[in-house]
Amino acid sequence: MRLETDILVIGSGIAGLSFALKAAKKHKVLIVTKKEQAESNTNYAQGGVATVTSPDDSYELHIKDTLECGAGLCHTDAVEQIVKNGPHLINELIELGVNFSREQGKLDLGREGGHSRQRIVHAKDLTGKEIERALLHNITNHKNITVLEHHTAIDLITEHNIKKRKPTGSINCYGAYAYDEINDDIITILSELTVICTGGIGQVYLHTTNPAIATGDGIAIGYRSGCKIGNMEFVQFHPTSLYENKINPTDGQSFLISEALRGAGAILKTKNGEEFMFKYDSRGSLAPRDIVARAIDSEMKKHGDDFVYLDITKLGEEKIKNKFPYIYKKCLSIGINMAKDMIPVVPAAHYICGGIVSDLDGRTSMNRLFVLGEASMTGVHGANRLASNSLLEALVYADKAAKICCVDNAKPKKSNIKIPDWDSSGTENAEEWVLISQNKNEIKQIMANYVGIVRSNLRLHRALRRITLIKDEIESFYKKTRINRELLELRNMALISYLIIRSALMRKESRGLHYSTDYPETKRSYLKDTIITNKTVK
Ligand code: SIN
């Protein structure tokens, strides 16, 4: 099947949906999404959107906190852009129907690690879900927006797919091939602009707060087509995911215990009840995430413990239930009453600060291709993202990109190039599906054991050798096998792991989220992003 649209959006989180709503004022937009439209990383974001709305706060303070947290690698122009555009985009969300929490009529502002002020606009402890609900409500029945669920993007369509037209200069994106899971078919989607909004990569790790869909598809697709990829070594581990003494059957997704709890006074303690964070940072339990996650990792190793505790009992049952109803209910379901018991927590992979390199408007290094949200590397997060800056970044860049697309003549002209359909000849249904689950588990184990919070050259090289082997094995299996979603995801996970390891090996220092025992110092003068480009695009 072939479809044509003005703009193709791949992914249905906050970046994709808010961009689509704005771009659809002028254009036909087609959104493809791997599962149901509401399933995205956004949906699991508990904390909120960091924005300056209080009289005791200022843009300067929010910018300063973001730059400090980013450990020298943030792009200041990108940071200024998100901070200064935050307040009006929050108002737009309110106009769209998002119900943010309020106290006496005013926005109730939470606090999280690394923030010097209360500035997190939130909807109790389910902010992402509430924003996603409101955006989907506005998108449903929109005359210019079509959503295709259960469609997984396979690869971008560029000059490389067009026989006898190998690229001579810059590469253009003409759309994407996508796998339609319901009809077991591969469709060709032709678009004048394509926007990658596929979210994160958490699933390459054994324990992650991300849902099963977070397999890094957009970044992998971008890399294969020749886009610049940046800063993949900076994987953020959220310090506090719920320790449940088992791997969650839903693809290792751990339940997030929001940083907002620490903002409301929760304290990290060892298993024997000792508060430990002040040994590591004067901000205690509210230090930035890289510091807290490393401190927890170090305490667990020192004591041989599987978890540490988060103690919020002091806040009292009524406030806990009112502010954190979702987390309270989840904890209660496994026998923990947050008002009386401490919560066992462990760090888990949560967010990637790197991704497809974009400019201040979300443009990638490829013509006719934009990237928004977690799949992008805008320079906002540097070496460590400040809590609750990610939804803000997605909103601001979606707004910028949509403005560009809606300016007259900004859209590329229709191309007359003949695009071939997907060629499945020579592929067969796989018999050895065990290879897929086995490879997936291996990738997760390797990444958890060798490419986690604390890294070393020895571990990274070991991981690189193993992942390269697995990646090559999957690639040859992929070439002769009929496509399905699991196979596409596995192929992307192997590639993402490879990119993370290669980037980590390129950074010969410790900075932000990347800590190496071989290079424990931060090189003050080395302020470079780690850039990787695929030199062998076929
Ligand atoms: C949280 O609620 O702790 C997550 C917020 C974020 O990752 O920004």
Side-chain angles (χ1 to χ4, degrees):
M1 187 166 69
R2 279 168 98 85
L3 294 175
E4 278 188 42
T5 181
D6 294 338
I7 300 179
L8 167 63
V9 173
I10 308 174
S12 59
I14 186 172
L17 297 184
S18 61
F19 168 83
L21 261 182
K22 291 178 176 184
K25 288 187 181 140
K26 240 182 152 168
H27 305 293
K28 292 269 178 224
V29 179
L30 175 67
I31 303 176
V32 296
T33 187
K34 272 203 299 195
K35 292 215 168 158
E36 290 79 32
Q37 56 188 2
E39 186 62 353
S40 62
N41 263 6
T42 302
N43 217 26
Y44 296 84
Q46 294 176 357
V49 189
T51 319
V52 176
T53 57
S54 142
D56 78 335
D57 199 359
S58 67
Y59 291 152
E60 289 69 30
L61 283 174
H62 188 181
I63 291 167
K64 183 168 171 279
D65 292 346
T66 304
L67 296 179
E68 251 174 52
C69 191
L73 273 199
C74 297
H75 300 188
T76 311
D77 49 358
V79 174
E80 283 176 3
Q81 168 164 286
I82 65 155
V83 167
K84 292 181 181 168
N85 281 290
H88 84 90
L89 291 174
I90 287 292
N91 284 335
E92 273 188 11
L93 284 182
I94 294 168
E95 277 160 27
L96 281 179
V98 177
N99 277 313
F100 288 118
S101 297
R102 288 180 182 270
E103 286 272 345
Q104 291 160 352
K106 287 202 179 125
L107 287 171
D108 177 36
L109 301 177
R111 184 152 177 193
E112 289 176 315
H115 287 277
S116 58
R117 291 289 185 277
Q118 305 277 128
R119 64 165 75 99
I120 317 297
V121 178
H122 62 104
K124 294 208 183 267
D125 54 355
L126 275 176
T127 312
K129 197 172 188 143
E130 171 58 11
I131 297 176
E132 187 85 14
R133 179 201 64 72
L135 291 173
L136 283 172
H137 178 77
N138 283 275
I139 274 177
T140 309
N141 301 327
H142 193 297
K143 69 176 183 4
N144 273 348
I145 303 179
T146 307
V147 183
L148 288 181
E149 296 182 320
H150 303 285
H151 280 65
T152 308
I154 303 171
D155 269 319
L156 299 176
I157 301 173
T158 66
E159 277 80 2
H160 298 102
N161 307 91
I162 305 164
K163 292 202 176 75
K164 297 198 209 108
R165 191 181 248 272
K166 291 296 168 213
T168 44
S170 53
I171 307 173
N172 293 282
C173 178
Y174 300 107
Y177 295 111
Y179 174 65
D180 166 358
E181 198 169 342
I182 306 288
N183 298 304
D184 187 25
D185 193 15
I186 293 170
I187 62 171
T188 307
I189 306 172
L190 302 177
S191 61
E192 287 162 54
L193 268 179
T194 301
V195 190
I196 292 180
C197 310
T198 45
I201 58 94
Q203 282 295 323
V204 306
Y205 284 90
L206 199 56
H207 301 284
T208 175
T209 60
N210 295 177
I213 50 142
T215 49
D217 302 343
I219 303 175
I221 286 170
Y223 174 78
R224 278 195 294 270
S225 300
C227 292
K228 267 193 199 163
I229 308 293
N231 286 355
M232 292 294 284
E233 67 274 37
F234 298 120
V235 177
Q236 185 168 68
F237 286 79
H238 196 291
T240 59
S241 78
L242 184 62
Y243 175 81
E244 291 193 70
N245 199 17
K246 64 176 169 57
I247 294 182
N248 198 308
T250 51
D251 276 304
Q253 185 180 3
S254 309
F255 185 85
L256 179 66
I257 302 291
S258 175
E259 200 155 307
L261 266 76
R262 278 176 283 138
I267 303 288
L268 284 160
K269 295 182 175 172
T270 56
K271 243 171 146 179
N272 56 21
E274 264 173 46
E275 186 173 347
F276 58 87
M277 268 314 300
F278 283 104
K279 283 193 297 190
Y280 298 88
D281 194 283
S282 60
R283 290 163 286 190
S285 293
L286 265 187
R289 278 188 196 162
D290 54 340
I291 297 168
V292 181
R294 258 197 313 277
I296 295 177
D297 187 66
S298 153
E299 290 295 319
M300 285 184 352
K301 283 184 180 142
K302 198 154 61 188
H303 298 282
D305 293 338
D306 293 336
F307 58 83
V308 295
Y309 279 122
L310 186 65
D311 184 356
I312 192 162
T313 51
K314 271 210 190 114
L315 192 64
E317 187 143 6
E318 205 186 308
K319 277 199 179 144
I320 291 176
K321 275 185 176 166
N322 179 38
K323 280 191 175 300
F324 308 111
Y326 176 59
I327 300 173
Y328 179 79
K329 206 166 143 207
K330 168 68 190 180
C331 286
L332 215 52
S333 77
I334 58 164
I336 298 164
N337 180 347
M338 289 161 62
K340 298 193 178 101
D341 311 316
M342 295 194 286
I343 312 165
V345 291
V346 279
H350 182 61
Y351 189 89
I352 183 124
C353 297
I356 302 176
V357 176
S358 100
D359 70 5
L360 284 171
D361 297 319
R363 281 190 204 86
T364 67
S365 54
M366 184 181 293
N367 296 331
R368 309 162 65 113
L369 180 70
F370 281 66
V371 63
L372 303 172
E374 192 172 345
S376 69
M377 197 289 269
T378 60
V380 162
H381 308 308
N384 180 33
R385 177 180 65 96
L386 182 66
S388 286
N389 264 356
S390 48
L391 296 183
L392 176 64
E393 180 200 45
L395 280 173
V396 171
Y397 277 77
D399 182 61
K400 292 281 295 179
K403 280 189 178 128
I404 300 271
C405 298
C406 288
V407 169
D408 283 335
N409 298 327
K411 212 173 50 152
K413 300 276 166 292
K414 262 200 164 31
S415 96
N416 297 321
I417 295 177
K418 269 205 166 349
I419 308 280
D421 281 333
W422 186 262
D423 181 6
S424 310
S425 56
T427 58
E428 286 172 20
N429 284 325
E431 283 158 21
E432 297 287 342
W433 277 109
V434 63
L435 294 180
I436 298 228
S437 57
Q438 180 58 27
N439 276 163
K440 193 164 161 181
N441 290 337
E442 264 182 74
I443 291 173
K444 284 169 170 276
Q445 292 281 359
I446 292 168
M447 293 303 284
N449 292 336
Y450 302 143
V451 200
I453 296 172
V454 175
R455 299 162 180 178
S456 72
N457 281 343
L458 184 80
R459 288 182 193 189
L460 289 176
H461 279 294
R462 185 169 287 191
L464 186 65
R465 282 194 298 275
R466 282 159 175 71
I467 288 290
T468 306
L469 194 75
I470 294 172
K471 180 171 82 58
D472 294 348
E473 244 173 52
I474 293 169
E475 204 54 45
S476 67
F477 183 68
Y478 171 81
K479 285 195 181 118
K480 47 186 197 250
T481 308
R482 249 190 91 76
I483 276 172
N484 67 22
R485 181 173 48 78
E486 283 89 346
L487 180 56
L488 292 171
E489 289 179 340
L490 180 70
R491 181 183 182 225
N492 293 336
M493 285 169 69
L495 179 54
I496 293 295
S497 305
Y498 171 80
L499 293 173
I500 294 172
I501 301 165
R502 271 195 53 201
S503 302
L505 279 165
M506 284 162 77
R507 186 164 290 282
K508 304 217 179 304
E509 63 163 352
S510 289
R511 183 184 292 278
L513 297 161
H514 174 72
Y515 183 83
S516 162
T517 52
D518 293 294
Y519 314 103
E521 304 298 322
T522 302
K523 284 192 200 152
R524 295 264 160 250
S525 58
Y526 185 82
L527 290 176
K528 278 199 200 133
D529 293 321
T530 311
I531 304 292
I532 302 187
T533 323
N534 182 6
K535 298 267 178 346
T536 58
V537 186
K538 287 187 206 93

